[in-house]
């Protein structure tokens, strides 16, 4: 039970002292209206606070509590405060209704499916607030929009929510050390225990030991207590701090969604292309632009052979499985068919790594430079484990022991893991590393096809000869 606060405290709450208070009933009525509680409340009589009616030896004896008549108002004020701190006002337009599931014009089917799946998962999470949702993908693909849409939906349902970029979250904590209105522990606990926490751009923060420790404490607390959490990042999970990474990888708690689409803010830039891939340079090499060379005097065998190569490439592009090796002289169409496979897959939202073998080795060597922004291991693993790898001009590289060893490691890994791979070469088989050759000749995994057509030569334009002048 509770009982109203005594008259002295009542007058203090009204901003009056007993000695200076007028006796006018009108003034008393006005004072009652200025009190924080409901003036008609039979419990607190307008004061807004009550004391618990407990024995003198009870730990709550003498403690003041908010009256039930003020509970909704206090909750509303707390909600407004959290909403302001969450920075959602800057993201008020990012809702599920404004998210474009189809992305922009020109997206491949696979990219559209990726956006639709992410949208559906975000909506499901917003309705249930169960577990964690991890949104990954390149810049500008819609991660922040979906995360903000979840937060805005939750706020509209009255769920206390914090939406903060990770750098802002850490700055918010640092500021609390010197803040007068709130101490660090209070703010830290608010973040750790908020009903819904949305952390945008994980990985963009300054990775100081203090920052890493605070982030881990937040992640670990919410992980242990299974508190609803949304995280977005454009970093590979392997680059995220190990303790946080292990929690993000828990499939029983975390739903991981990768958005495989292009940067909506830069429609001319395909941000889904792997950084090593030279495929954009070969964008004109498609199946539609492939020259079947009908006007050339190819033999029936050469013509049938070229048509067979075209069909093999198309079949592989539709469903990349195993290895496909094209051999033949320079200019016979090997590179065009390999690039057409890559461009077809890219149009479906699954761009491969397309790289000329000597360039690949140069990329790997460049990582040893002190000025390199990426590590050797990072580049090597990206190539070795690519979903689809297209290696052009195998055999033209400098056959140093280091180069041979690196290529063998790439080939051996992809052979063992049976990862889809396309290879072109103008070299004879006996000129290739025998370890690589043995894998290319394994018919259980690899289709080896030699293109018989000679090098393509553009037809010479007919020369115009001047007409002879008529002479007398």
């Amino acid at each position: 039970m509770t009982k109203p606060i005594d008259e002295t405290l009542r007058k203090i709450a009204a901003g009056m002292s007993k000695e200076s208070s007028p006796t006018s009933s009108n003034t008393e009525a006005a004072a009652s209206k200025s009190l924080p509680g409901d003036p008609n409340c039979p419990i607190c009589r307008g004061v807004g606070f009550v004391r618990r009616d407990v024995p003198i030896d009870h730990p709550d004896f003498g403690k003041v509590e908010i009256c039930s008549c003020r509970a909704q108002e206090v909750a509303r004020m707390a909600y407004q405060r959290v909403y302001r701190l969450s920075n959602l006002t800057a993201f008020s337009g990012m809702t599920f209704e404004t998210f474009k599931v189809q992305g922009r014009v020109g997206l491949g089917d696979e990219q559209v499916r990726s956006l639709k799946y992410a949208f559906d998962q975000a909506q499901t999470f917003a309705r249930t607030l169960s577990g964690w949702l991890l949104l990954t993908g390149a810049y500008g693909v819609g991660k922040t929009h979906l995360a903000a849409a979840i937060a805005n939906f939750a706020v509209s349902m009255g769920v206390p929510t914090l939406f903060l970029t990770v750098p802002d979250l850490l700055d918010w904590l640092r500021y609390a050390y010197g803040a007068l209105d709130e101490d660090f522990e209070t703010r830290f606990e608010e973040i750790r225990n908020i009903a819904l926490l949305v952390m945008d751009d994980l990985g963009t923060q300054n990775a100081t030991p203090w920052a890493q420790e605070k982030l881990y404490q937040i992640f670990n607390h919410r992980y242990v207590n299974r508190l609803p959490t949304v995280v977005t990042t454009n970093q590979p999970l392997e680059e995220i701090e190990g303790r946080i990474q292990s929690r993000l990888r828990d499939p029983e708690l975390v739903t991981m969604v990768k958005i495989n689409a292009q940067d909506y803010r830069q429609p001319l830039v395909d941000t889904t292309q792997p950084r090593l891939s030279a495929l954009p340079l070969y964008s004109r090499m498609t199946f539609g632009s492939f020259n079947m060379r009908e006007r050339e005097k190819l033999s029936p065998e050469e013509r049938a052979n070229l048509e067979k190569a075209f069909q093999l490439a198309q079949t592989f592009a539709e469903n990349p499985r195993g290895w496909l090796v094209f051999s033949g002289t320079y200019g016979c169409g090997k590179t065009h068919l390999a690039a057409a496979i890559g461009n077809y897959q890219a149009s479906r939202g699954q761009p491969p790594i397309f790289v000329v073998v000597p360039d690949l080795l140069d990329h790997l060597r460049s990582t040893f430079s002190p000025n390199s922004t990426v590590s050797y291991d990072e580049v090597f693993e990206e190539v070795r484990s690519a979903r689809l790898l297209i290696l052009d001009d195998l055999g033209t590289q400098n056959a140093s022991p280091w180069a041979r060893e690196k290529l063998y490691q790439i080939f051996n890994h992809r052979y063992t893991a049976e990862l889809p791979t396309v290879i072109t070469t103008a070299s004879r088989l006996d000129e290739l590393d025998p370890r690589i050759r043995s894998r290319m000749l394994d018919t259980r995994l690899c289709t080896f096809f030699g293109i018989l057509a000679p090098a393509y030569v553009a037809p010479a334009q007919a020369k115009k000869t001047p007409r002879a002048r008529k002479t007398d």
Side-chain angles (χ1 to χ4, degrees):
M1 292 182 60
T2 59
K3 61 180 181 180
I5 294 179
D6 57 69
E7 189 65 20
T8 303
L9 187 55
R10 171 185 166 85
K11 290 185 177 181
I12 292 175
M16 301 183 295
S17 66
K18 189 173 182 179
E19 292 76 10
S20 60
S21 60
T23 56
S24 166
S25 59
N26 292 335
T27 306
E28 289 287 353
S32 295
K33 292 182 180 179
S34 70
L35 291 170
D38 181 356
N40 299 317
C41 177
I43 300 175
C44 69
R45 299 179 190 146
V47 177
F49 300 94
V50 293
R51 286 198 180 102
R52 289 181 64 84
D53 189 8
V54 294
I56 194 170
D57 57 348
H58 193 279
D60 289 336
F61 179 79
K63 289 186 178 179
V64 176
E65 295 182 357
I66 295 172
C67 181
S68 58
C69 71
R70 287 192 62 212
Q72 287 188 338
E73 176 65 15
V74 170
R76 185 185 65 81
M77 293 173 63
Y79 158 76
Q80 289 180 339
R81 174 182 173 278
V82 171
Y83 188 89
R84 288 194 304 271
L85 292 174
S86 72
N87 198 37
L88 268 177
T89 51
F91 300 89
S92 59
M94 292 187 177
T95 65
F96 289 120
E97 290 72 24
T98 60
F99 187 80
K100 296 183 179 179
V101 178
Q102 295 297 320
R104 67 175 184 83
V105 176
L107 288 184
D109 292 342
E110 187 62 31
Q111 293 174 316
V112 173
R113 282 195 293 270
S114 171
L115 283 170
K116 180 67 167 59
Y117 178 73
F119 179 80
D120 291 343
Q121 289 296 318
Q123 280 198 315
T124 299
F125 182 90
R127 295 191 194 101
T128 62
L129 293 183
S130 177
W132 290 13
L133 179 64
L134 173 61
L135 299 171
T136 70
Y139 290 106
V141 298
K143 304 185 304 297
T144 296
H145 191 138
L146 287 177
I150 293 170
N152 280 312
F153 181 85
V155 166
S156 72
M157 300 300 291
V159 178
T161 301
L162 271 177
F163 179 100
L164 291 167
T165 67
V166 173
D168 287 345
L169 182 152
L170 293 169
D171 285 345
W172 199 40
L173 287 176
R174 291 186 188 98
Y175 171 79
Y177 281 117
L180 299 176
D181 58 335
E182 189 175 27
D183 58 26
F184 173 84
E185 287 75 16
T186 301
R187 186 164 291 182
F188 189 59
E189 284 304 305
E190 184 172 29
I191 294 173
R192 291 208 307 176
N193 292 302
I194 193 76
L196 172 62
L197 178 62
V198 181
M199 290 186 283
D200 191 35
D201 270 351
L202 175 65
T204 58
Q205 72 278 0
N206 184 12
T208 63
W210 179 87
Q212 294 286 45
E213 189 60 30
K214 293 302 118 183
L215 275 181
Y216 168 69
Q217 290 173 356
I218 292 170
F219 272 94
N220 190 57
H221 178 83
R222 299 187 69 82
Y223 177 82
V224 170
N225 293 282
R226 297 300 198 253
L227 298 175
T229 306
V230 178
V231 181
T232 79
T233 183
N234 56 61
Q235 282 195 319
L237 279 185
E238 295 76 15
E239 296 180 9
I240 294 173
E241 198 268 339
R243 297 174 298 176
I244 295 175
Q245 179 189 143
S246 69
R247 282 143 183 80
L248 292 174
R249 288 187 181 275
D250 184 350
E252 294 185 0
L253 176 69
V254 183
T255 299
M256 186 187 306
V257 177
K258 181 175 182 180
I259 303 177
N260 184 17
Q262 297 178 8
D263 188 341
Y264 188 83
R265 294 165 295 198
Q266 300 181 43
L268 298 180
V269 180
D270 185 356
T271 58
T272 65
Q273 286 286 352
R275 58 187 152 194
L276 294 181
S277 184
L279 189 59
L281 301 177
Y282 298 80
S283 60
R284 295 181 180 179
M285 293 187 178
T286 65
F287 289 118
S289 66
F290 186 75
N291 187 347
M292 297 301 292
R293 304 169 68 174
E294 290 90 348
R295 297 184 181 181
E296 295 184 49
K297 295 179 180 180
L298 298 181
S299 69
E301 181 185 12
E302 290 170 339
R303 192 172 303 283
N305 173 269
L306 190 61
E307 290 175 355
K308 178 64 174 177
F310 183 82
Q311 292 168 2
L312 281 173
Q314 277 194 316
T315 301
F316 188 92
E318 286 285 351
N319 183 23
R321 296 183 65 182
W323 290 15
L324 178 60
V325 180
F326 285 124
S327 70
T329 188
Y330 294 107
C332 69
K334 307 184 306 297
T335 296
H336 191 133
L337 289 176
I341 292 171
N343 284 314
Y344 181 82
Q345 280 289 300
S347 72
R348 300 179 68 179
Q350 298 179 337
I353 291 181
F354 180 105
V355 63
V356 181
V357 173
D359 292 343
L360 167 62
L361 295 170
D362 285 344
H363 281 305
L364 291 174
R365 292 187 189 97
S366 68
T367 61
F368 295 111
S369 167
N371 298 323
S372 176
T373 58
V374 293
S375 68
Y376 167 82
D377 290 339
E378 186 179 350
V379 175
F380 186 72
E381 187 59 30
E382 182 178 2
V383 174
R384 194 175 71 151
S385 301
R387 189 194 63 83
L388 171 60
L389 177 63
I390 302 176
L391 294 172
D392 192 35
D393 271 351
L394 175 66
T396 59
Q397 69 279 358
N398 181 14
S400 67
W402 180 87
R404 286 197 301 269
E405 190 60 30
K406 294 303 112 182
L407 280 178
Y408 168 69
Q409 290 173 355
I410 291 171
F411 274 87
N412 189 57
H413 176 82
R414 299 188 68 81
Y415 175 81
T416 303
E418 298 186 359
L419 294 173
T421 308
V422 178
I423 304 156
T424 76
T425 182
S427 299
R428 299 193 312 269
L429 280 175
D430 58 5
E431 295 174 337
L432 299 176
D433 185 319
R435 299 175 296 177
I436 294 176
R437 182 173 66 238
S438 68
R439 284 148 180 78
M440 291 168 59
L441 292 176
D442 184 350
T443 56
R444 296 171 302 178
L445 175 70
C446 182
T447 299
F448 190 100
F449 191 86
I451 297 178
L452 302 177
Y456 171 77
V457 178
Q461 293 183 349
K463 294 181 179 179
K464 293 183 179 180
T465 54
R467 271 194 283 177
R469 270 189 317 177
K470 187 175 180 180
T471 58
D472 294 332

